[in-house]
Amino acid sequence: MVRRDRLRRMREWWVQVGLLAVPLLAAYLHIPPPQLSPALHSWKTNGKFFTYKGLRIFYQDSVGVVGSPEIVVLLHGFPTSSYDWYKIWEGLTLRFHRVIALDFLGFGFSDKPRPHHYSIFEQASIVEALLRHLGLQNRRINLLSHDYGDIVAQELLYRYKQNRSGRLTIKSLCLSNGGIFPETHRPLLLQKLLKDGGILSPILTRLMNFFVFSRGLTPVFGPYTRPSESELWDMWAGIRNNDGNLVIDSLLQYINQRKKFRRRWVGALASVTIPIHFIYGPLDPINPYPEFLELYRKTLPRSTVSILDDHISHYPQLEDPMGFLNAYMGFINSF
């Protein structure tokens, strides 16, 4: 009798916990995105939008050196945005006439449709559409990319190699800390869970919060170059804008696409004759040293490489902006 009464009280307690948890969980899942910091708000207000197939794409376009014909287009990584380039932006305007960056579809301030089949092919087409929108489709373009942006750059390079009309004319390509080789790429645990699109994906994306995000992202930075809490909040604000956390699993399909189209994209890098450079933070746990670098040099013997200080990791343009900028300028001035 005592045992039965105890079980009844336990059941009542769990019912009360459940009744309390339901509204709390509902409120949590509808937490509005964080307010933009003054710096991130300024980045947004100084940018513009153009429309691609009914979708709004955010971009930055700064005029730099007067009289120079040089144009650089910056392609950001996953899961962040064009704001990744803010630390080197001014330095680039001192060398280039136009400095252009966009938020890929599903990232930053761009639209984040769902459901939607996000693909590297579509992102490359968006870059081409942006340059047509700006009237630069016939100009020679320097591409500077990072992480996810490296894969988009590979697709643009493939199209350039095919010499199809309407494609970009690429003058040079500089990659940085991207998993261009599926066999040396080491995705994070959460990325592995989400990319497979199982039943956990919609649950995990809805339960993702700043704590989970910051705990997951911080380890890909070097021990002395980790972002401050305010910098992490800026990254998280970009993800949460337009409920971007709910499309992360769809965006991560690029990992599967990269395996499927390895021959196309690695082949494009290996076969073109334009100047190619790689800026590498060697402490990167996602593209680990020395396996990644050995394969890169074996596959692309004509490419030059800049290896930054040994404590720089996956986000070199944020962790060592001066070293990154100097490496890039050394490359650009070499041809």
Side-chain angles (χ1 to χ4, degrees), residues 29 101 103 324:
L29 294 178
D103 287 350
F324 187 97

Side-chain angles (χ1 to χ4, degrees), residues 29 43 84 86 99 113 134 137 142 144 155 157 165 171 174 178 229 239 288 331:
L29 294 178
W43 183 261
D84 289 350
Y86 82 97
V99 181
L134 296 174
Q137 67 272 25
N142 298 285
L144 174 57
E155 172 58 21
L157 199 63
S165 60
K171 181 178 181 180
C174 181
E229 185 165 329
I239 292 170
F331 165 61

Side-chain angles (χ1 to χ4, degrees), residues 74-86:
L74 314 179
L75 308 176
H76 69 79
F78 177 92
T80 41
S81 70
S82 60
Y83 193 58
D84 289 350
W85 303 108
Y86 82 97

Side-chain angles (χ1 to χ4, degrees), residues 68-98:
S68 168
E70 297 280 2
I71 300 166
V72 63
V73 175
L74 314 179
L75 308 176
H76 69 79
F78 177 92
T80 41
S81 70
S82 60
Y83 193 58
D84 289 350
W85 303 108
Y86 82 97
K87 288 186 178 181
I88 65 168
W89 193 267
E90 184 178 356
L92 292 172
T93 63
L94 298 176
R95 174 61 175 77
F96 294 92
H97 177 55
R98 299 280 286 276

Side-chain angles (χ1 to χ4, degrees), residues 200-261:
L200 283 177
S201 293
I203 299 171
L204 291 172
T205 54
R206 286 195 172 273
L207 291 177
M208 190 175 294
N209 57 25
F210 174 74
F211 177 76
V212 173
F213 165 74
S214 60
R215 287 290 297 270
L217 191 69
T218 299
V220 307
F221 286 77
Y224 313 116
T225 54
R226 289 183 173 173
S228 65
E229 185 165 329
S230 63
E231 289 172 325
L232 286 166
W233 273 110
D234 281 341
M235 295 177 187
W236 178 240
I239 292 170
R240 283 287 283 114
N241 184 70
N242 293 333
D243 292 327
N245 55 303
L246 302 182
V247 303
I248 283 180
D249 55 335
S250 300
L251 292 171
L252 276 167
Q253 295 312 304
Y254 86 91
I255 295 177
N256 298 324
Q257 292 166 22
R258 182 176 50 205
K259 288 181 180 178
K260 183 176 181 180
F261 297 103

